[in-house]
Amino acid sequence: MGIAAVIKRLLGRPSPPSPPETQSDYELLFRSRYEHFQRLLAANNAALDLMASIEAALRGERHFGMYFVRSTATTLLAKVYAMIGHLQELAPGRYPELGDRFQAIADTIRCRMAPQVHPQTSALVLDLEDLHTDLASDVGAKMAHLGTLRRLGLPVPDGFAITAAACQAFFRHQGLGEDIACLVQSHAMAGALFDTNPDDPTPAFSILELCARIQAKILQAPVPEEVVVAIQEGYHRLSKRLGYAPSVALRSSAVGEDSAGTTFAGQHRSLLNLRAESLAEAYKEVLASKYSPQATVYRHRKGIREDEVFMAVGCLAMIGAVAGGVAYSCDPVDPTDERIHITAALGAAKGVVDGSVPVDHFWVARGEPPCLVATIITEKSWRIVQTEGEGVRRERVPPSQATQPCLTEEQSVALARMVLAIEAHYGTPQDVEWALSFKGELVILQARPLEVQPTSPPSPAPAADLQLPEPLLCAGQTACPGVGCGPVHFLRNNVDMLTVPQGAILVCADALPKWAAVLSQAGAVVSERGSTAGHLGTVAREFGIPALFGVEKATTLLQPGQEVTVDAQRRCLYPGRVESLLASRPGPPPLAGTPVYATLERIAQAIIPLTLTDPDSPRFRAKHCTTLHDITRFCHEKAVVEMFAFGRDHDFAPRASKQLKTVVPMQWWVLNLDDGFTHEVSGRFVDLASIASTPMLALWRGIVAFPWEGPPSLDGRGFLSVLFQSSTNPNLEPAAASQYTTRNYFIIARHFCSLQCRFGYHFTSVETMAGPRPRENYIRFQFKGGAADEARRARRAQLVGELLEAFHFQVDISSDNVTARMDDCEAPFIEKHLELLGHLIMHTRQLDMVMAQDSMVAAYRQRLLAQMRWLYEQALPSYRP
């Protein structure tokens, strides 16, 4: 019988009863808690990944659209909500304010994600005479500008606007808008369609297929009766003002269209030469063009929120045009050239903007009076004219008119004056569409800000300086300067749009607006026909895609798949890849400043910031969570705390576990939660070769690295201190059946381990995760107790803390209690530090008894530190067969 037992008997204190050997419910409870803990960690990992993707998007490292914003925010809210649920399972009722904080943050995110643009009027139709720029959010910039030009006294066609409120009514009718939203969200390629990285594009087939399905839904839907009536009434008022029932043009005027930097040039539908009875069906075609492939890609590339684009439509009296075209108030490629550049075609202006007919060019110098200074008159083979019924057609130009200029000198100067007046009113360069009627009257059809390069392009370096090869051809006009390189890909029809490789040089006969749908995949665009004033040229400049138009025989001289380098500024195509030209290419334009980017910025303010950083701070409370990041940090920290406390404070019966076969002269029990064994183990015992838990094996390597030399020699005072503590604490008799001698437990899974050691007069607890995801990995360590007096125990605690701090642990010491932590580390780093903890667990036993001697303390510090440094530098055996 030991000395402590004798003294206890003399004092009359009975020995404590042995712990029960019945199966404990704690085993099942711990398994359940571990499952919730694992799910919480998985949700935390997913939430942090989503936050990282938001931060990457804000840094400009990826292209994104509203699908990314909505889906990321929705998924993130779901993951954080799941974390709260799992924490509540671990600590029922302990953090009641967490749910309220989550709901408040979620409401903020949803509010900030909602559209910021809303129609101001409920009117379904507004006459042109009532329109002005303040109504741009109701009728679109195109119709608002026409109303303003009319007020300035400039000639514009009469008409009316079908407002954004009418568009909303149409999409609300019979749940059409919700059906479209479901179609987009459920589409297998939705995420890639609208959030694709330009370097990894979605196949065009998916874009065409989804857009076709949406447009079909719109075209099959009925127009609400109140919208039909409003359109008819607007047409009757127009007829009354004109004195006859006119043919009309329906022109898209979407909210945001024809604005600075977002012209939507040619991306939406315009229908010409319509009768009154066709207006309702034609109206649906214009609305459906919001979901054309080219408009969809355009919005995505420009960072425009799809739910903020309301399709207002202009209904304008048709102008029987003998000629038409586009006038720029300066050169969009070279802003130092301030001449008015007029591009003109015979027939309707449509032939110019869609690049389908030959054109004339006129340059008018500013001054008083303006002066025509240069012309290029082409031989015009085709023109666009109105048909006898509805619509327009392409017809051959009579030979007698083929070489005649589209405008006289007087007409070109008169048009230049109008363009200058519009520029003076708005104070920015202008892109003006115009028509010349059969009566010889010039009419303004549209005016919008002109997208101009910020600086004039530098003069190209001589070819000899760059060592350029002999060009394949040099011709055409620069629609957008820049250099692109890639394989030649011909665009002849919609099928060719399905197979555009990334970085292709798109080569086409006509510069059609629909090719804009695949501009995001293009390295450059080369067209045999078309002008810089066409819609494709405008969009190419907005996207920064090098474009060269008017390159004759391009489809004949180039071969599909042939690698070429296009220098749009020099107007040359070179064989192969010319690195000297490609070296200075700018990157893709950033999304910063766009509506989509602004939306992501707004919601990120309620997601990304982390204000709860110190778990020991009084502010580390659920009520102080102000962002989703705060909640994830709080839930993760508290989940670790709850798991650690449960493993430390609850007993497990040996019958629920298996005894470890080991040469270490102590009993160790292993409780397998999930996949901690390499195979199913039968019987009462398990050997090290059957252990699959990497953190347990790491602890064990430290436990057995150096044999324990036994307790230190005691001096007289040390002996009396131990004697007194043993006599007053029944659990400190090593030979007795106390909780300190029977509870040495490993609770394990493959990447998890909770170790509870109660032997040698002190208590040690370690909990750790050491898996493949660093942000989930952690160590929590607690060391307390002993058999000596409080001062000696405190000195030992100080020694343990100093040793841990020397190896990167965050340590807190209070009296004889040491707590340490380590977070967010790679698994090998965690395992190496578990080896150190295993060593400390074994070799700090009973050291409190000699902690009164400074020399002894220094000696043990030096020895332990040397051993731990050796361990830190060694690769220890794995204990695997």
Side-chain angles (χ1 to χ4, degrees):
M1 181 178 294
I3 297 176
V6 172
I7 295 176
K8 290 177 190 177
R9 177 172 293 182
L10 293 174
L11 295 175
R13 176 170 295 177
S15 298
S18 300
E21 290 293 326
T22 59
Q23 172 68 45
S24 174
D25 290 338
Y26 288 129
E27 176 194 356
L28 297 177
L29 183 56
F30 202 107
R31 291 182 189 275
S32 174
R33 292 173 67 84
Y34 176 71
E35 182 177 343
H36 284 293
F37 181 60
Q38 286 288 84
R39 291 181 178 180
L40 185 146
L41 291 181
N44 177 70
N45 197 58
L48 293 177
D49 282 342
L50 291 167
M51 292 180 198
S53 69
I54 292 174
E55 291 179 303
L58 291 174
R59 289 193 301 268
E61 296 176 7
R62 60 164 295 161
H63 204 86
F64 62 93
M66 276 306 296
Y67 180 89
F68 168 81
V69 176
R70 290 196 191 94
S71 62
T72 303
T74 301
T75 306
L76 182 56
L77 287 169
K79 296 299 181 184
V80 176
Y81 184 77
M83 290 183 70
I84 295 172
H86 293 305
L87 181 59
Q88 289 173 340
E89 292 293 334
L90 293 173
R94 198 164 298 174
Y95 309 108
E97 294 172 318
L98 202 55
D100 294 337
R101 292 307 309 140
F102 171 80
Q103 190 59 55
I105 296 168
D107 289 344
T108 298
I109 291 172
R110 294 187 184 104
C111 180
R112 293 177 181 178
M113 247 190 329
Q116 304 296 304
V117 176
H118 302 281
Q120 303 300 308
T121 179
S122 60
L124 302 178
V125 166
L126 292 173
D127 291 334
L128 185 66
E129 61 189 14
D130 298 324
L131 304 185
H132 49 78
T133 52
D134 291 343
L135 289 172
S137 62
D138 294 287
V139 299
K142 183 182 294 184
M143 290 303 294
H145 288 324
L146 283 181
T148 299
L149 297 181
R150 181 186 179 97
R151 291 168 183 266
L152 293 176
L154 292 169
V156 299
D158 200 356
F160 59 91
I162 309 170
T163 66
C167 174
Q168 284 187 313
F170 176 80
F171 283 102
R172 281 197 305 264
H173 190 55
Q174 298 184 356
L176 176 62
E178 294 179 1
D179 289 345
I180 292 173
C182 291
L183 185 60
V184 170
Q185 297 294 328
S186 63
H187 194 278
M189 296 297 293
L193 280 173
F194 299 115
D195 298 304
T196 220
N197 187 311
D199 295 329
D200 185 21
T202 302
F205 173 78
S206 297
I207 299 174
L208 296 175
E209 187 263 342
L210 179 59
C211 290
R213 292 176 64 185
I214 295 173
Q215 288 182 306
K217 276 188 171 293
I218 294 172
L219 296 175
Q220 293 166 6
V223 180
E225 183 63 25
E226 65 271 20
V227 176
V228 174
V229 170
I231 293 173
Q232 291 173 344
E233 291 176 349
Y235 179 82
H236 292 321
R237 290 195 301 273
L238 173 61
S239 300
K240 186 175 180 179
R241 290 195 299 272
L242 296 176
Y244 64 94
S247 295
V248 295
L250 283 189
R251 309 194 70 182
S252 66
S253 184
V255 174
E257 186 176 355
D258 282 0
S259 301
T262 55
T263 64
F264 279 89
Q267 306 311 294
H268 297 141
R269 189 84 184 271
S270 290
L271 299 173
L272 306 179
N273 195 29
L274 301 174
R275 303 295 184 188
E277 58 270 19
S278 303
L279 291 183
E281 288 300 311
Y283 173 63
K284 290 194 295 183
E285 289 192 48
V286 179
L287 295 185
S289 71
K290 174 182 175 180
Y291 294 98
S292 68
Q294 61 265 34
T296 300
V297 171
Y298 183 93
R299 284 194 301 273
H300 172 62
R301 291 281 293 179
K302 299 292 286 185
I304 298 169
R305 292 186 54 148
E306 180 265 333
D307 54 3
E308 292 184 348
V309 177
F310 302 108
M311 185 63 76
V313 178
C315 184
L316 302 171
M318 276 294 296
I319 302 298
V322 65
V326 172
Y328 290 160
S329 65
C330 71
D331 189 325
V333 176
D334 182 4
T336 62
D337 184 355
E338 295 186 339
R339 296 176 299 174
I340 294 89
H341 180 196
I342 300 170
T343 307
L346 293 179
K350 174 179 171 61
V352 173
V353 297
D354 67 13
S356 61
V357 299
V359 296
D360 291 343
H361 298 275
F362 303 84
W363 286 269
V364 179
R366 296 168 183 259
E368 190 49 52
C371 178
L372 180 66
V373 293
T375 62
I376 296 178
I377 308 303
T378 62
E379 183 173 352
K380 293 167 281 294
S381 52
W382 298 94
R383 63 185 175 188
I384 305 296
V385 298
Q386 294 178 216
T387 61
E388 293 295 330
E390 291 188 325
V392 295
R393 61 184 175 86
R394 196 169 180 242
E395 73 170 18
R396 285 198 172 273
V397 175
S400 60
Q401 302 176 27
T403 57
Q404 296 298 310
C406 295
L407 293 174
T408 66
E409 181 176 353
E410 293 76 14
Q411 289 167 339
S412 61
V413 169
L415 178 58
R417 287 186 181 277
M418 293 183 188
V419 173
L420 289 172
I422 297 170
E423 182 188 68
H425 175 75
Y426 288 109
T428 59
Q430 293 292 302
D431 171 354
V432 178
E433 187 176 336
W434 57 273
L436 178 67
S437 73
F438 285 106
K439 296 180 181 180
E441 298 173 341
L442 287 165
V443 180
I444 303 300
L445 303 178
Q446 177 180 323
R448 62 187 173 206
L450 176 64
E451 186 78 11
V452 179
Q453 300 295 316
T455 59
S456 59
S459 299
D465 293 348
L466 293 175
Q467 298 182 338
L468 298 179
E470 188 70 22
L472 294 170
L473 53 88
C474 287
Q477 295 178 322
T478 301
C480 180
V483 178
C485 177
V488 169
H489 183 83
F490 288 157
L491 291 178
R492 301 183 182 89
N493 48 49
N494 288 349
V495 175
D496 292 330
M497 296 171 66
L498 304 179
T499 56
V500 177
Q502 180 62 28
I505 305 302
L506 304 181
V507 179
C508 52
D510 295 309
L512 302 178
K514 69 178 181 179
W515 303 144
V518 290
L519 274 185
S520 61
Q521 296 166 244
V525 183
V526 177
S527 178
E528 291 185 334
R529 292 181 288 275
S531 73
T532 59
H535 287 326
L536 188 65
T538 299
V539 176
R541 287 191 291 276
E542 291 184 17
F543 286 179
I545 305 297
L548 197 57
F549 293 168
V551 183
E552 295 183 2
K553 299 182 180 181
T555 59
T556 303
L557 297 176
L558 300 176
Q559 300 299 316
Q562 176 185 5
E563 186 178 50
V564 298
T565 298
V566 177
D567 185 344
Q569 187 176 344
R570 288 186 177 81
R571 303 176 186 177
C572 289
L573 278 74
Y574 299 94
R577 184 177 181 86
V578 183
E579 295 293 348
S580 58
L581 291 175
L582 296 169
S584 60
R585 283 190 302 174
L591 280 172
T594 66
V596 167
Y597 189 92
T599 301
L600 188 62
E601 273 190 318
R602 286 195 299 270
I603 69 168
Q605 293 168 2
I607 294 173
I608 302 300
L610 179 62
T611 63
L612 298 186
T613 56
D614 183 5
D616 297 323
S617 168
R619 279 192 52 80
F620 202 87
R621 301 288 186 271
K623 65 181 180 180
H624 295 308
C625 290
T626 59
T627 67
L628 293 185
H629 202 167
D630 282 342
I631 293 180
T632 60
R633 177 75 175 90
F634 183 86
C635 288
H636 182 272
E637 176 67 24
K638 293 304 180 183
V640 172
V641 169
E642 295 296 336
M643 284 291 291
F644 185 71
F646 188 84
R648 180 191 62 200
D649 298 338
H650 292 80
D651 291 327
F652 296 86
R655 188 173 298 175
S657 309
K658 296 186 182 298
Q659 188 172 354
L660 184 66
K661 295 178 183 177
T662 174
V663 296
V664 177
M666 285 173 281
Q667 291 186 358
W668 300 85
W669 300 88
V670 183
L671 175 63
N672 182 26
L673 293 175
D674 186 12
D675 50 0
F677 292 165
T678 60
H679 59 279
E680 188 69 27
V681 177
S682 60
R684 295 177 50 202
F685 298 94
V686 63
D687 56 18
L688 284 171
S690 300
I691 301 297
S693 174
T694 54
M696 174 187 166
L697 293 174
L699 279 166
W700 193 257
R701 289 195 295 270
I703 289 172
V704 300
F706 291 89
W708 186 49
E709 299 176 357
S713 300
L714 298 181
D715 59 13
R717 291 186 179 181
F719 175 77
L720 291 176
S721 176
V722 172
L723 188 63
F724 177 76
Q725 292 295 322
S726 298
S727 67
T728 57
N729 189 335
N731 285 313
L732 295 183
E733 169 50 56
S738 73
Q739 58 178 328
Y740 284 5
T741 60
T742 61
R743 193 180 174 200
N744 300 321
Y745 267 88
F746 287 106
I747 305 167
I748 65 170
R750 180 172 296 275
H751 301 300
F752 174 81
C753 178
S754 177
L755 170 61
Q756 313 301 329
C757 295
R758 298 188 180 183
F759 57 82
Y761 299 168
H762 67 268
F763 159 67
T764 303
S765 181
V766 180
E767 185 173 285
T768 181
M769 180 75 69
R773 293 180 288 272
R775 64 167 62 104
E776 292 183 0
N777 294 338
Y778 67 90
I779 298 174
R780 295 294 183 272
F781 171 79
Q782 184 177 29
F783 179 97
K784 67 179 299 184
D789 58 74
E790 183 176 351
R792 295 170 190 255
R793 297 199 310 270
R795 292 195 70 178
R796 181 178 62 172
Q798 188 68 39
L799 172 62
V800 171
E802 290 173 0
L803 292 171
L804 292 175
E805 285 180 336
F807 291 93
H808 318 294
F809 283 92
Q810 300 176 50
V811 177
D812 182 67
I813 303 172
S814 177
S815 185
D816 68 341
N817 183 54
V818 181
T819 59
R821 61 186 291 159
M822 182 172 286
D823 295 278
D824 302 333
C825 302
E826 298 283 349
F829 191 81
I830 292 287
E831 292 178 42
K832 179 55 67 174
H833 286 78
L834 290 174
E835 292 175 2
L836 302 181
L837 288 180
H839 181 72
L840 275 180
I841 289 170
M842 291 301 295
H843 293 271
T844 54
R845 299 164 59 193
Q846 301 182 18
L847 282 187
D848 52 346
M849 296 183 291
V850 296
M851 286 293 103
Q853 303 177 37
D854 292 340
S855 60
M856 191 73 73
V857 172
Y860 273 99
R861 179 187 293 110
Q862 183 176 358
R863 187 175 75 177
L864 287 170
L865 189 59
Q867 291 172 340
M868 292 172 71
R869 284 174 177 164
W870 183 88
L871 279 173
Y872 197 73
E873 296 170 357
Q874 299 301 310
L876 298 183
S878 64
Y879 302 107
R880 295 293 172 81

